[in-house]
Amino acid sequence: MKRITIAEGVEYLEAPQQESWLMNNGLLITGEEIIMIDGRFGDDETLAFIRENEVSRYFISHFHIDHVSGAWRIDGETNCRPALNKVEHKFIQSGEALSQATGYQQAGIYHLVEGILAPRMGFRCIAGIAPYELDEIEAASKGQLRVIQAPGHSPGHFCLYAPLSGALFACDLGLDRFGPWYGFPHCNLEQYLSSIKTAGELKVRQLFSSHSPMISEDVEGAISRCKSIIEKRHSMVLSKWYKGKRTVEEIAGENIFYQKTDGFGKRAVPLVSFWQESMVRCHLEYAGLDPEKPF
Ligand SMILES: [Zn+2]
């Protein structure tokens, strides 16, 4: 694993696999308390790292399944306590809460999450997971890290900025090849674009994120790429709308977001379609348009 010091007592931890849902990069804060923020390097490897480094708390940045999976093992098999941001920690306390917060329940597809995604990702709910306050991160890093609220991808999503070195840990802002992701009803495009703008205005020198390697050249370009992708998709969605496609299903059928919906197997098609439809809905909402209900 690659470790890069980005501030005094703060290291970036790079997972061996990038662009993967099964792993993500994280930060390690070594102060009076040792806190990890995200970081999945393989389930056994993550547990070993936590034990070796005597990590006492594991702060999950946001509640999406690729970040939360495996945390139940940290909870059960190490002395480290996982926690999730205050806005979202309740969402993974039970299947009921998760299925509601993601909209899977309303769409009638939570059984597919339980049957396909959860086993593949190694996900289980954590009934008693505690919340953390964002200023606990600032305090633990002795002010070396500043929290930048960056909602849109999820309601409690944030980035961490190290002003002295000019490094930004952008979490899931969408720098990887999948691009910005907003496939849940709780995602918000207006907030997302404003978060990208905020990240751009920091004029950072090094850019770190959950699923892609460090970026130190043309950082501005990497951030504005997220904005361009969203804008391009937005004009495609609107062009379908003005050509007379007035339901979310019809526009989603144009595969603007996914070339094919069976990339995770035939059984998972309703899941991928749901993500795609949610993204279409985000664009229509952002444009102030109200789709018709299909008959
Ligand atoms: Zn996410």
Side-chain angles (χ1 to χ4, degrees):
M1 178 208 306
K2 206 195 275 180
R3 298 170 71 150
I4 301 173
T5 300
I6 63 164
E8 206 188 314
V10 184
E11 280 175 281
Y12 159 75
L13 311 170
E14 189 170 280
Q17 257 175 51
Q18 300 295 302
E19 313 267 345
S20 162
W21 278 12
L22 298 175
M23 294 200 181
N24 62 55
N25 306 320
L27 296 182
L28 184 72
I29 303 175
T30 310
E32 273 141 44
E33 201 183 359
I34 300 170
I35 298 178
M36 233 171 115
I37 298 163
D38 284 348
R40 287 183 72 207
F41 325 116
D43 286 336
D44 290 334
E45 289 80 357
T46 310
L47 297 185
F49 181 89
I50 284 172
R51 289 190 196 107
E52 274 160 32
N53 291 276
E54 298 177 346
V55 178
S56 61
R57 288 201 288 167
Y58 182 81
F59 285 3
I60 305 164
S61 65
H62 63 294
F63 82 106
H64 291 164
I65 194 164
D66 54 326
H67 288 255
V68 172
S69 292
W72 61 277
R73 284 195 61 195
I74 297 174
D75 195 39
E77 297 174 40
T78 71
N79 294 325
C80 173
R81 296 283 71 84
L84 223 162
N85 76 60
K86 197 173 78 175
V87 181
E88 302 175 3
H89 82 285
K90 285 207 165 73
F91 299 162
I92 65 151
Q93 291 192 337
S94 66
E96 171 75 18
L98 183 69
S99 65
Q100 271 196 29
T102 46
Y104 288 136
Q105 188 182 64
Q106 297 83 329
I109 53 170
Y110 189 63
H111 64 284
L112 295 177
V113 175
E114 287 177 307
I116 303 171
L117 275 190
R120 200 180 286 185
M121 309 283 297
F123 170 76
R124 283 190 201 173
C125 293
I126 307 173
I129 191 160
Y132 61 81
E133 300 278 349
L134 296 179
D135 55 16
E136 286 183 72
I137 300 176
E138 296 187 346
S141 73
K142 297 199 180 75
Q144 297 283 332
L145 289 177
R146 203 193 298 158
V147 172
I148 310 288
Q149 307 267 7
H153 175 70
S154 77
H157 186 267
F158 61 89
C159 304
L160 293 169
Y161 178 47
L164 289 182
S165 64
L168 180 72
F169 185 68
C171 275
D172 256 0
L173 217 50
L175 305 165
D176 48 82
R177 78 185 152 88
F178 306 113
W181 201 86
Y182 35 93
F184 286 123
H186 64 246
C187 301
N188 182 298
L189 216 43
E190 193 171 345
Q191 289 181 347
Y192 208 143
L193 285 164
S194 143
S195 298
I196 290 170
K197 184 164 178 272
T198 307
E201 283 166 357
L202 290 170
K203 305 276 178 225
V204 303
R205 288 195 284 277
Q206 287 174 312
L207 194 52
F208 301 90
S209 60
S210 300
H211 303 287
S212 47
M214 177 185 86
I215 298 170
S216 55
E217 276 168 37
D218 193 19
V219 169
E220 222 166 299
I223 295 176
S224 61
R225 177 183 160 268
C226 296
K227 187 169 169 261
S228 325
I229 293 173
I230 293 178
E231 282 168 352
K232 191 171 158 212
R233 290 172 180 170
H234 195 63
S235 65
M236 285 165 87
V237 168
L238 291 194
S239 121
K240 302 297 173 196
W241 172 273
Y242 289 115
K243 280 187 185 141
K245 299 202 183 296
R246 290 296 157 88
T247 67
V248 167
E249 289 75 6
E250 270 181 308
I251 299 173
E254 299 287 318
N255 296 343
I256 293 168
F257 302 90
Y258 295 104
Q259 291 302 313
K260 52 191 183 83
T261 48
D262 60 357
F264 300 101
K266 285 236 163 351
R267 231 162 39 104
V269 166
L271 269 174
V272 180
S273 301
F274 169 75
W275 298 334
Q276 187 153 249
E277 284 166 19
S278 300
M279 290 200 252
V280 170
R281 219 167 254 143
C282 277
H283 282 282
L284 294 179
E285 198 175 287
Y286 181 61
L289 298 169
D290 197 8
E292 287 168 15
K293 300 265 178 292
F295 298 103

